[in-house]
Amino acid sequence: KEQSEYDFVLIGLNADRESLYEIINHRVIKMIHAGWVDEVRNLLESGCCGDEKPFQGLGYRDIVKYLKGLQSLDTALELIQRDTRRFAKRQMTFFRKIDGIHWIERKITDDPDDIARRIYAMVSENPSE
C-alpha cells in the first residue's frame, strides 16, 4: 500500500437497518417540506424539460413525474425513500470493504452536536497509523 503524506482518520456513520431506514425516510420528508418540489417546479418553469443530467439524481425524476401528473406525491415520496434506501445499502457494501474505517453507530434520535463531538474525540485520539 502507498503511504499518504497526510495524517487522516477514516470515519463512517453506521446505523442498524431499522434506524437507517427511519433516518432516510425522515430526511426525504424533511427535504420535501423544505421546498424540493418547488425547486424542481421552478427549474421546469425556467425551461428545463426534466431530462437533463441533474434530474437523474435520486428523487428528481420522481418529483418531475409528480409535477407532470404521472404519479401522486405520495407515490413519488415512497419511490424516493425506497431508492435512497437501496442506494444507502450499496454505499454500505462499498465502504465495508475499506480497511481502517472507524465506525460510529447512530440513531435518528442522536443529537448531531453529540455525533460531531464523538468524531472530534476520535480524530484527536487516533492519529494516522
Side-chain angles (χ1 to χ4, degrees), residues 25-60:
N25 291 343
H26 179 73
R27 180 173 176 264
V28 170
I29 291 169
K30 187 176 178 181
M31 291 170 67
I32 294 289
H33 287 150
W36 195 7
V37 173
D38 291 332
E39 172 192 341
V40 176
R41 181 182 293 113
N42 290 337
L43 289 168
L44 293 174
E45 288 174 355
S46 72
C48 295
C49 66
D51 293 332
E52 294 85 358
K53 188 73 171 169
F55 286 99
Q56 302 309 308
L58 275 173
Y60 282 88

PDB file of all heavy atoms in Angstrom, residues 25-60:
ATOM      1  N   ASN A  25     -36.067   7.868   5.590  1.00  0.00           N
ATOM      2  CA  ASN A  25     -37.461   8.262   5.371  1.00  0.00           C
ATOM      3  C   ASN A  25     -37.734   9.655   5.928  1.00  0.00           C
ATOM      4  O   ASN A  25     -38.382  10.477   5.275  1.00  0.00           O
ATOM      5  CB  ASN A  25     -38.409   7.240   6.000  1.00  0.00           C
ATOM      6  CG  ASN A  25     -38.380   5.907   5.277  1.00  0.00           C
ATOM      7  OD1 ASN A  25     -37.919   5.806   4.139  1.00  0.00           O
ATOM      8  ND2 ASN A  25     -38.853   4.874   5.942  1.00  0.00           N
ATOM      9  N   HIS A  26     -37.218   9.921   7.115  1.00  0.00           N
ATOM     10  CA  HIS A  26     -37.402  11.235   7.745  1.00  0.00           C
ATOM     11  C   HIS A  26     -36.716  12.332   6.921  1.00  0.00           C
ATOM     12  O   HIS A  26     -37.273  13.410   6.715  1.00  0.00           O
ATOM     13  CB  HIS A  26     -36.841  11.202   9.171  1.00  0.00           C
ATOM     14  CG  HIS A  26     -36.942  12.488   9.893  1.00  0.00           C
ATOM     15  ND1 HIS A  26     -38.133  12.986  10.380  1.00  0.00           N
ATOM     16  CD2 HIS A  26     -36.002  13.407  10.203  1.00  0.00           C
ATOM     17  CE1 HIS A  26     -37.912  14.152  10.960  1.00  0.00           C
ATOM     18  NE2 HIS A  26     -36.629  14.436  10.864  1.00  0.00           N
ATOM     19  N   ARG A  27     -35.508  12.049   6.442  1.00  0.00           N
ATOM     20  CA  ARG A  27     -34.750  13.046   5.667  1.00  0.00           C
ATOM     21  C   ARG A  27     -35.470  13.400   4.366  1.00  0.00           C
ATOM     22  O   ARG A  27     -35.532  14.573   3.977  1.00  0.00           O
ATOM     23  CB  ARG A  27     -33.351  12.514   5.363  1.00  0.00           C
ATOM     24  CG  ARG A  27     -32.508  13.500   4.572  1.00  0.00           C
ATOM     25  CD  ARG A  27     -31.070  12.990   4.450  1.00  0.00           C
ATOM     26  NE  ARG A  27     -30.299  13.882   3.631  1.00  0.00           N
ATOM     27  CZ  ARG A  27     -30.087  13.716   2.333  1.00  0.00           C
ATOM     28  NH1 ARG A  27     -30.589  12.687   1.697  1.00  0.00           N
ATOM     29  NH2 ARG A  27     -29.356  14.567   1.662  1.00  0.00           N
ATOM     30  N   VAL A  28     -36.021  12.397   3.684  1.00  0.00           N
ATOM     31  CA  VAL A  28     -36.727  12.670   2.428  1.00  0.00           C
ATOM     32  C   VAL A  28     -37.951  13.546   2.691  1.00  0.00           C
ATOM     33  O   VAL A  28     -38.196  14.520   1.968  1.00  0.00           O
ATOM     34  CB  VAL A  28     -37.110  11.352   1.715  1.00  0.00           C
ATOM     35  CG1 VAL A  28     -38.045  11.617   0.539  1.00  0.00           C
ATOM     36  CG2 VAL A  28     -35.854  10.627   1.245  1.00  0.00           C
ATOM     37  N   ILE A  29     -38.703  13.239   3.736  1.00  0.00           N
ATOM     38  CA  ILE A  29     -39.872  14.054   4.082  1.00  0.00           C
ATOM     39  C   ILE A  29     -39.434  15.483   4.411  1.00  0.00           C
ATOM     40  O   ILE A  29     -40.060  16.458   3.973  1.00  0.00           O
ATOM     41  CB  ILE A  29     -40.640  13.419   5.264  1.00  0.00           C
ATOM     42  CG1 ILE A  29     -41.307  12.119   4.807  1.00  0.00           C
ATOM     43  CG2 ILE A  29     -41.671  14.388   5.837  1.00  0.00           C
ATOM     44  CD1 ILE A  29     -41.864  11.271   5.936  1.00  0.00           C
ATOM     45  N   LYS A  30     -38.340  15.610   5.158  1.00  0.00           N
ATOM     46  CA  LYS A  30     -37.818  16.937   5.511  1.00  0.00           C
ATOM     47  C   LYS A  30     -37.432  17.729   4.254  1.00  0.00           C
ATOM     48  O   LYS A  30     -37.696  18.929   4.159  1.00  0.00           O
ATOM     49  CB  LYS A  30     -36.612  16.760   6.440  1.00  0.00           C
ATOM     50  CG  LYS A  30     -36.077  18.036   7.018  1.00  0.00           C
ATOM     51  CD  LYS A  30     -34.954  17.736   8.004  1.00  0.00           C
ATOM     52  CE  LYS A  30     -34.360  19.007   8.558  1.00  0.00           C
ATOM     53  NZ  LYS A  30     -33.262  18.748   9.491  1.00  0.00           N
ATOM     54  N   MET A  31     -36.824  17.051   3.277  1.00  0.00           N
ATOM     55  CA  MET A  31     -36.435  17.724   2.028  1.00  0.00           C
ATOM     56  C   MET A  31     -37.668  18.187   1.244  1.00  0.00           C
ATOM     57  O   MET A  31     -37.667  19.281   0.669  1.00  0.00           O
ATOM     58  CB  MET A  31     -35.565  16.791   1.186  1.00  0.00           C
ATOM     59  CG  MET A  31     -34.198  16.543   1.789  1.00  0.00           C
ATOM     60  SD  MET A  31     -33.271  15.229   0.962  1.00  0.00           S
ATOM     61  CE  MET A  31     -32.966  15.976  -0.629  1.00  0.00           C
ATOM     62  N   ILE A  32     -38.705  17.368   1.238  1.00  0.00           N
ATOM     63  CA  ILE A  32     -39.958  17.761   0.562  1.00  0.00           C
ATOM     64  C   ILE A  32     -40.532  18.990   1.245  1.00  0.00           C
ATOM     65  O   ILE A  32     -40.905  19.972   0.584  1.00  0.00           O
ATOM     66  CB  ILE A  32     -40.981  16.594   0.575  1.00  0.00           C
ATOM     67  CG1 ILE A  32     -40.480  15.415  -0.259  1.00  0.00           C
ATOM     68  CG2 ILE A  32     -42.357  17.068   0.118  1.00  0.00           C
ATOM     69  CD1 ILE A  32     -40.477  15.610  -1.754  1.00  0.00           C
ATOM     70  N   HIS A  33     -40.590  18.971   2.586  1.00  0.00           N
ATOM     71  CA  HIS A  33     -41.131  20.118   3.332  1.00  0.00           C
ATOM     72  C   HIS A  33     -40.268  21.366   3.187  1.00  0.00           C
ATOM     73  O   HIS A  33     -40.772  22.482   3.320  1.00  0.00           O
ATOM     74  CB  HIS A  33     -41.306  19.766   4.806  1.00  0.00           C
ATOM     75  CG  HIS A  33     -42.455  18.837   5.055  1.00  0.00           C
ATOM     76  ND1 HIS A  33     -42.475  17.936   6.082  1.00  0.00           N
ATOM     77  CD2 HIS A  33     -43.618  18.639   4.392  1.00  0.00           C
ATOM     78  CE1 HIS A  33     -43.591  17.242   6.052  1.00  0.00           C
ATOM     79  NE2 HIS A  33     -44.305  17.649   5.028  1.00  0.00           N
ATOM     80  N   ALA A  34     -38.984  21.173   2.933  1.00  0.00           N
ATOM     81  CA  ALA A  34     -38.067  22.312   2.791  1.00  0.00           C
ATOM     82  C   ALA A  34     -38.131  22.952   1.401  1.00  0.00           C
ATOM     83  O   ALA A  34     -37.425  23.927   1.136  1.00  0.00           O
ATOM     84  CB  ALA A  34     -36.640  21.878   3.101  1.00  0.00           C
ATOM     85  N   GLY A  35     -38.962  22.401   0.501  1.00  0.00           N
ATOM     86  CA  GLY A  35     -39.138  23.062  -0.788  1.00  0.00           C
ATOM     87  C   GLY A  35     -38.578  22.341  -1.990  1.00  0.00           C
ATOM     88  O   GLY A  35     -38.420  22.949  -3.064  1.00  0.00           O
ATOM     89  N   TRP A  36     -38.299  21.065  -1.879  1.00  0.00           N
ATOM     90  CA  TRP A  36     -37.724  20.319  -3.007  1.00  0.00           C
ATOM     91  C   TRP A  36     -38.653  20.341  -4.211  1.00  0.00           C
ATOM     92  O   TRP A  36     -38.215  20.562  -5.344  1.00  0.00           O
ATOM     93  CB  TRP A  36     -37.420  18.897  -2.568  1.00  0.00           C
ATOM     94  CG  TRP A  36     -36.530  18.103  -3.466  1.00  0.00           C
ATOM     95  CD1 TRP A  36     -35.853  18.548  -4.571  1.00  0.00           C
ATOM     96  CD2 TRP A  36     -36.196  16.728  -3.334  1.00  0.00           C
ATOM     97  NE1 TRP A  36     -35.125  17.514  -5.126  1.00  0.00           N
ATOM     98  CE2 TRP A  36     -35.321  16.388  -4.376  1.00  0.00           C
ATOM     99  CE3 TRP A  36     -36.552  15.744  -2.423  1.00  0.00           C
ATOM    100  CZ2 TRP A  36     -34.803  15.107  -4.543  1.00  0.00           C
ATOM    101  CZ3 TRP A  36     -36.029  14.475  -2.584  1.00  0.00           C
ATOM    102  CH2 TRP A  36     -35.167  14.159  -3.640  1.00  0.00           C
ATOM    103  N   VAL A  37     -39.956  20.157  -3.979  1.00  0.00           N
ATOM    104  CA  VAL A  37     -40.915  20.171  -5.095  1.00  0.00           C
ATOM    105  C   VAL A  37     -40.919  21.546  -5.756  1.00  0.00           C
ATOM    106  O   VAL A  37     -40.918  21.644  -6.992  1.00  0.00           O
ATOM    107  CB  VAL A  37     -42.331  19.776  -4.609  1.00  0.00           C
ATOM    108  CG1 VAL A  37     -43.357  19.961  -5.723  1.00  0.00           C
ATOM    109  CG2 VAL A  37     -42.341  18.334  -4.102  1.00  0.00           C
ATOM    110  N   ASP A  38     -40.898  22.609  -4.971  1.00  0.00           N
ATOM    111  CA  ASP A  38     -40.865  23.965  -5.533  1.00  0.00           C
ATOM    112  C   ASP A  38     -39.585  24.195  -6.331  1.00  0.00           C
ATOM    113  O   ASP A  38     -39.607  24.851  -7.374  1.00  0.00           O
ATOM    114  CB  ASP A  38     -40.975  25.010  -4.424  1.00  0.00           C
ATOM    115  CG  ASP A  38     -42.351  25.022  -3.784  1.00  0.00           C
ATOM    116  OD1 ASP A  38     -43.345  24.655  -4.463  1.00  0.00           O
ATOM    117  OD2 ASP A  38     -42.442  25.399  -2.598  1.00  0.00           O
ATOM    118  N   GLU A  39     -38.473  23.665  -5.838  1.00  0.00           N
ATOM    119  CA  GLU A  39     -37.199  23.793  -6.558  1.00  0.00           C
ATOM    120  C   GLU A  39     -37.313  23.170  -7.952  1.00  0.00           C
ATOM    121  O   GLU A  39     -36.938  23.786  -8.955  1.00  0.00           O
ATOM    122  CB  GLU A  39     -36.085  23.097  -5.778  1.00  0.00           C
ATOM    123  CG  GLU A  39     -34.769  23.009  -6.521  1.00  0.00           C
ATOM    124  CD  GLU A  39     -33.765  22.064  -5.871  1.00  0.00           C
ATOM    125  OE1 GLU A  39     -33.903  21.741  -4.683  1.00  0.00           O
ATOM    126  OE2 GLU A  39     -32.846  21.635  -6.587  1.00  0.00           O
ATOM    127  N   VAL A  40     -37.851  21.962  -8.006  1.00  0.00           N
ATOM    128  CA  VAL A  40     -37.977  21.280  -9.291  1.00  0.00           C
ATOM    129  C   VAL A  40     -38.992  21.999 -10.178  1.00  0.00           C
ATOM    130  O   VAL A  40     -38.755  22.176 -11.379  1.00  0.00           O
ATOM    131  CB  VAL A  40     -38.361  19.794  -9.088  1.00  0.00           C
ATOM    132  CG1 VAL A  40     -38.602  19.104 -10.422  1.00  0.00           C
ATOM    133  CG2 VAL A  40     -37.263  19.067  -8.305  1.00  0.00           C
ATOM    134  N   ARG A  41     -40.087  22.444  -9.603  1.00  0.00           N
ATOM    135  CA  ARG A  41     -41.096  23.194 -10.364  1.00  0.00           C
ATOM    136  C   ARG A  41     -40.464  24.438 -10.987  1.00  0.00           C
ATOM    137  O   ARG A  41     -40.674  24.732 -12.167  1.00  0.00           O
ATOM    138  CB  ARG A  41     -42.268  23.590  -9.464  1.00  0.00           C
ATOM    139  CG  ARG A  41     -43.359  24.361 -10.210  1.00  0.00           C
ATOM    140  CD  ARG A  41     -44.509  24.798  -9.299  1.00  0.00           C
ATOM    141  NE  ARG A  41     -45.257  23.644  -8.812  1.00  0.00           N
ATOM    142  CZ  ARG A  41     -45.305  23.239  -7.544  1.00  0.00           C
ATOM    143  NH1 ARG A  41     -44.645  23.909  -6.610  1.00  0.00           N
ATOM    144  NH2 ARG A  41     -46.010  22.188  -7.197  1.00  0.00           N
ATOM    145  N   ASN A  42     -39.669  25.172 -10.201  1.00  0.00           N
ATOM    146  CA  ASN A  42     -39.011  26.382 -10.707  1.00  0.00           C
ATOM    147  C   ASN A  42     -38.047  26.057 -11.837  1.00  0.00           C
ATOM    148  O   ASN A  42     -37.951  26.819 -12.813  1.00  0.00           O
ATOM    149  CB  ASN A  42     -38.288  27.112  -9.576  1.00  0.00           C
ATOM    150  CG  ASN A  42     -39.248  27.751  -8.590  1.00  0.00           C
ATOM    151  OD1 ASN A  42     -40.405  28.029  -8.917  1.00  0.00           O
ATOM    152  ND2 ASN A  42     -38.786  27.954  -7.376  1.00  0.00           N
ATOM    153  N   LEU A  43     -37.335  24.947 -11.723  1.00  0.00           N
ATOM    154  CA  LEU A  43     -36.420  24.542 -12.790  1.00  0.00           C
ATOM    155  C   LEU A  43     -37.186  24.223 -14.073  1.00  0.00           C
ATOM    156  O   LEU A  43     -36.783  24.627 -15.169  1.00  0.00           O
ATOM    157  CB  LEU A  43     -35.586  23.335 -12.358  1.00  0.00           C
ATOM    158  CG  LEU A  43     -34.520  23.616 -11.303  1.00  0.00           C
ATOM    159  CD1 LEU A  43     -33.956  22.310 -10.748  1.00  0.00           C
ATOM    160  CD2 LEU A  43     -33.410  24.486 -11.883  1.00  0.00           C
ATOM    161  N   LEU A  44     -38.296  23.512 -13.918  1.00  0.00           N
ATOM    162  CA  LEU A  44     -39.102  23.182 -15.100  1.00  0.00           C
ATOM    163  C   LEU A  44     -39.696  24.439 -15.723  1.00  0.00           C
ATOM    164  O   LEU A  44     -39.729  24.577 -16.947  1.00  0.00           O
ATOM    165  CB  LEU A  44     -40.206  22.184 -14.724  1.00  0.00           C
ATOM    166  CG  LEU A  44     -39.740  20.790 -14.313  1.00  0.00           C
ATOM    167  CD1 LEU A  44     -40.916  19.959 -13.827  1.00  0.00           C
ATOM    168  CD2 LEU A  44     -39.007  20.089 -15.452  1.00  0.00           C
ATOM    169  N   GLU A  45     -40.157  25.367 -14.895  1.00  0.00           N
ATOM    170  CA  GLU A  45     -40.744  26.609 -15.401  1.00  0.00           C
ATOM    171  C   GLU A  45     -39.711  27.521 -16.046  1.00  0.00           C
ATOM    172  O   GLU A  45     -40.049  28.366 -16.866  1.00  0.00           O
ATOM    173  CB  GLU A  45     -41.474  27.342 -14.266  1.00  0.00           C
ATOM    174  CG  GLU A  45     -42.759  26.653 -13.848  1.00  0.00           C
ATOM    175  CD  GLU A  45     -43.416  27.275 -12.628  1.00  0.00           C
ATOM    176  OE1 GLU A  45     -42.825  28.210 -12.014  1.00  0.00           O
ATOM    177  OE2 GLU A  45     -44.515  26.814 -12.270  1.00  0.00           O
ATOM    178  N   SER A  46     -38.429  27.335 -15.687  1.00  0.00           N
ATOM    179  CA  SER A  46     -37.374  28.169 -16.273  1.00  0.00           C
ATOM    180  C   SER A  46     -36.874  27.617 -17.605  1.00  0.00           C
ATOM    181  O   SER A  46     -35.964  28.174 -18.204  1.00  0.00           O
ATOM    182  CB  SER A  46     -36.210  28.321 -15.295  1.00  0.00           C
ATOM    183  OG  SER A  46     -35.489  27.113 -15.200  1.00  0.00           O
ATOM    184  N   GLY A  47     -37.464  26.499 -18.046  1.00  0.00           N
ATOM    185  CA  GLY A  47     -37.111  25.988 -19.358  1.00  0.00           C
ATOM    186  C   GLY A  47     -36.498  24.600 -19.375  1.00  0.00           C
ATOM    187  O   GLY A  47     -36.288  24.038 -20.454  1.00  0.00           O
ATOM    188  N   CYS A  48     -36.185  24.050 -18.230  1.00  0.00           N
ATOM    189  CA  CYS A  48     -35.671  22.679 -18.200  1.00  0.00           C
ATOM    190  C   CYS A  48     -36.818  21.726 -18.542  1.00  0.00           C
ATOM    191  O   CYS A  48     -37.979  21.995 -18.234  1.00  0.00           O
ATOM    192  CB  CYS A  48     -35.129  22.331 -16.813  1.00  0.00           C
ATOM    193  SG  CYS A  48     -33.690  23.298 -16.326  1.00  0.00           S
ATOM    194  N   CYS A  49     -36.489  20.611 -19.167  1.00  0.00           N
ATOM    195  CA  CYS A  49     -37.548  19.668 -19.533  1.00  0.00           C
ATOM    196  C   CYS A  49     -37.614  18.477 -18.592  1.00  0.00           C
ATOM    197  O   CYS A  49     -38.560  17.692 -18.640  1.00  0.00           O
ATOM    198  CB  CYS A  49     -37.376  19.202 -20.978  1.00  0.00           C
ATOM    199  SG  CYS A  49     -35.892  18.226 -21.251  1.00  0.00           S
ATOM    200  N   GLY A  50     -36.622  18.324 -17.716  1.00  0.00           N
ATOM    201  CA  GLY A  50     -36.626  17.219 -16.775  1.00  0.00           C
ATOM    202  C   GLY A  50     -35.807  16.034 -17.225  1.00  0.00           C
ATOM    203  O   GLY A  50     -35.704  15.043 -16.507  1.00  0.00           O
ATOM    204  N   ASP A  51     -35.242  16.112 -18.419  1.00  0.00           N
ATOM    205  CA  ASP A  51     -34.405  15.019 -18.933  1.00  0.00           C
ATOM    206  C   ASP A  51     -32.907  15.306 -18.768  1.00  0.00           C
ATOM    207  O   ASP A  51     -32.086  14.435 -19.041  1.00  0.00           O
ATOM    208  CB  ASP A  51     -34.691  14.788 -20.425  1.00  0.00           C
ATOM    209  CG  ASP A  51     -36.088  14.258 -20.670  1.00  0.00           C
ATOM    210  OD1 ASP A  51     -36.635  13.588 -19.773  1.00  0.00           O
ATOM    211  OD2 ASP A  51     -36.634  14.516 -21.759  1.00  0.00           O
ATOM    212  N   GLU A  52     -32.576  16.519 -18.340  1.00  0.00           N
ATOM    213  CA  GLU A  52     -31.176  16.900 -18.214  1.00  0.00           C
ATOM    214  C   GLU A  52     -30.478  16.057 -17.135  1.00  0.00           C
ATOM    215  O   GLU A  52     -31.115  15.488 -16.249  1.00  0.00           O
ATOM    216  CB  GLU A  52     -31.054  18.388 -17.849  1.00  0.00           C
ATOM    217  CG  GLU A  52     -31.538  19.336 -18.923  1.00  0.00           C
ATOM    218  CD  GLU A  52     -33.038  19.591 -18.872  1.00  0.00           C
ATOM    219  OE1 GLU A  52     -33.747  19.014 -18.040  1.00  0.00           O
ATOM    220  OE2 GLU A  52     -33.503  20.388 -19.686  1.00  0.00           O
ATOM    221  N   LYS A  53     -29.165  15.987 -17.216  1.00  0.00           N
ATOM    222  CA  LYS A  53     -28.357  15.170 -16.308  1.00  0.00           C
ATOM    223  C   LYS A  53     -28.652  15.432 -14.819  1.00  0.00           C
ATOM    224  O   LYS A  53     -28.787  14.478 -14.053  1.00  0.00           O
ATOM    225  CB  LYS A  53     -26.869  15.390 -16.618  1.00  0.00           C
ATOM    226  CG  LYS A  53     -25.945  14.469 -15.891  1.00  0.00           C
ATOM    227  CD  LYS A  53     -26.013  13.070 -16.453  1.00  0.00           C
ATOM    228  CE  LYS A  53     -24.915  12.212 -15.863  1.00  0.00           C
ATOM    229  NZ  LYS A  53     -25.078  10.817 -16.168  1.00  0.00           N
ATOM    230  N   PRO A  54     -28.763  16.686 -14.373  1.00  0.00           N
ATOM    231  CA  PRO A  54     -29.041  16.903 -12.948  1.00  0.00           C
ATOM    232  C   PRO A  54     -30.347  16.251 -12.471  1.00  0.00           C
ATOM    233  O   PRO A  54     -30.477  15.913 -11.309  1.00  0.00           O
ATOM    234  CB  PRO A  54     -29.114  18.423 -12.823  1.00  0.00           C
ATOM    235  CG  PRO A  54     -28.276  18.924 -13.938  1.00  0.00           C
ATOM    236  CD  PRO A  54     -28.498  17.949 -15.065  1.00  0.00           C
ATOM    237  N   PHE A  55     -31.277  16.065 -13.369  1.00  0.00           N
ATOM    238  CA  PHE A  55     -32.552  15.451 -12.992  1.00  0.00           C
ATOM    239  C   PHE A  55     -32.437  13.931 -12.845  1.00  0.00           C
ATOM    240  O   PHE A  55     -33.406  13.270 -12.493  1.00  0.00           O
ATOM    241  CB  PHE A  55     -33.637  15.780 -14.015  1.00  0.00           C
ATOM    242  CG  PHE A  55     -34.132  17.191 -13.917  1.00  0.00           C
ATOM    243  CD1 PHE A  55     -33.652  18.165 -14.771  1.00  0.00           C
ATOM    244  CD2 PHE A  55     -35.076  17.554 -12.972  1.00  0.00           C
ATOM    245  CE1 PHE A  55     -34.094  19.470 -14.690  1.00  0.00           C
ATOM    246  CE2 PHE A  55     -35.534  18.857 -12.870  1.00  0.00           C
ATOM    247  CZ  PHE A  55     -35.035  19.818 -13.729  1.00  0.00           C
ATOM    248  N   GLN A  56     -31.267  13.384 -13.108  1.00  0.00           N
ATOM    249  CA  GLN A  56     -31.076  11.942 -12.941  1.00  0.00           C
ATOM    250  C   GLN A  56     -30.688  11.585 -11.508  1.00  0.00           C
ATOM    251  O   GLN A  56     -30.618  10.418 -11.158  1.00  0.00           O
ATOM    252  CB  GLN A  56     -30.008  11.433 -13.921  1.00  0.00           C
ATOM    253  CG  GLN A  56     -30.327  11.706 -15.376  1.00  0.00           C
ATOM    254  CD  GLN A  56     -31.720  11.238 -15.785  1.00  0.00           C
ATOM    255  OE1 GLN A  56     -32.075  10.104 -15.553  1.00  0.00           O
ATOM    256  NE2 GLN A  56     -32.492  12.130 -16.374  1.00  0.00           N
ATOM    257  N   GLY A  57     -30.460  12.603 -10.677  1.00  0.00           N
ATOM    258  CA  GLY A  57     -30.130  12.360  -9.275  1.00  0.00           C
ATOM    259  C   GLY A  57     -31.303  11.749  -8.535  1.00  0.00           C
ATOM    260  O   GLY A  57     -32.459  11.858  -8.962  1.00  0.00           O
ATOM    261  N   LEU A  58     -31.004  11.106  -7.412  1.00  0.00           N
ATOM    262  CA  LEU A  58     -32.039  10.450  -6.621  1.00  0.00           C
ATOM    263  C   LEU A  58     -33.202  11.405  -6.344  1.00  0.00           C
ATOM    264  O   LEU A  58     -33.008  12.503  -5.835  1.00  0.00           O
ATOM    265  CB  LEU A  58     -31.469   9.987  -5.276  1.00  0.00           C
ATOM    266  CG  LEU A  58     -30.787   8.638  -5.252  1.00  0.00           C
ATOM    267  CD1 LEU A  58     -30.128   8.401  -3.905  1.00  0.00           C
ATOM    268  CD2 LEU A  58     -31.760   7.524  -5.570  1.00  0.00           C
ATOM    269  N   GLY A  59     -34.384  10.973  -6.707  1.00  0.00           N
ATOM    270  CA  GLY A  59     -35.594  11.698  -6.373  1.00  0.00           C
ATOM    271  C   GLY A  59     -36.090  12.687  -7.405  1.00  0.00           C
ATOM    272  O   GLY A  59     -37.298  12.882  -7.542  1.00  0.00           O
ATOM    273  N   TYR A  60     -35.215  13.310  -8.124  1.00  0.00           N
ATOM    274  CA  TYR A  60     -35.636  14.340  -9.064  1.00  0.00           C
ATOM    275  C   TYR A  60     -36.581  13.787 -10.129  1.00  0.00           C
ATOM    276  O   TYR A  60     -37.592  14.396 -10.455  1.00  0.00           O
ATOM    277  CB  TYR A  60     -34.429  15.025  -9.716  1.00  0.00           C
ATOM    278  CG  TYR A  60     -33.791  16.040  -8.809  1.00  0.00           C
ATOM    279  CD1 TYR A  60     -32.799  15.673  -7.910  1.00  0.00           C
ATOM    280  CD2 TYR A  60     -34.195  17.361  -8.835  1.00  0.00           C
ATOM    281  CE1 TYR A  60     -32.227  16.593  -7.055  1.00  0.00           C
ATOM    282  CE2 TYR A  60     -33.627  18.299  -7.993  1.00  0.00           C
ATOM    283  CZ  TYR A  60     -32.646  17.903  -7.104  1.00  0.00           C
ATOM    284  OH  TYR A  60     -32.091  18.830  -6.258  1.00  0.00           O
TER     285      TYR A  60
END
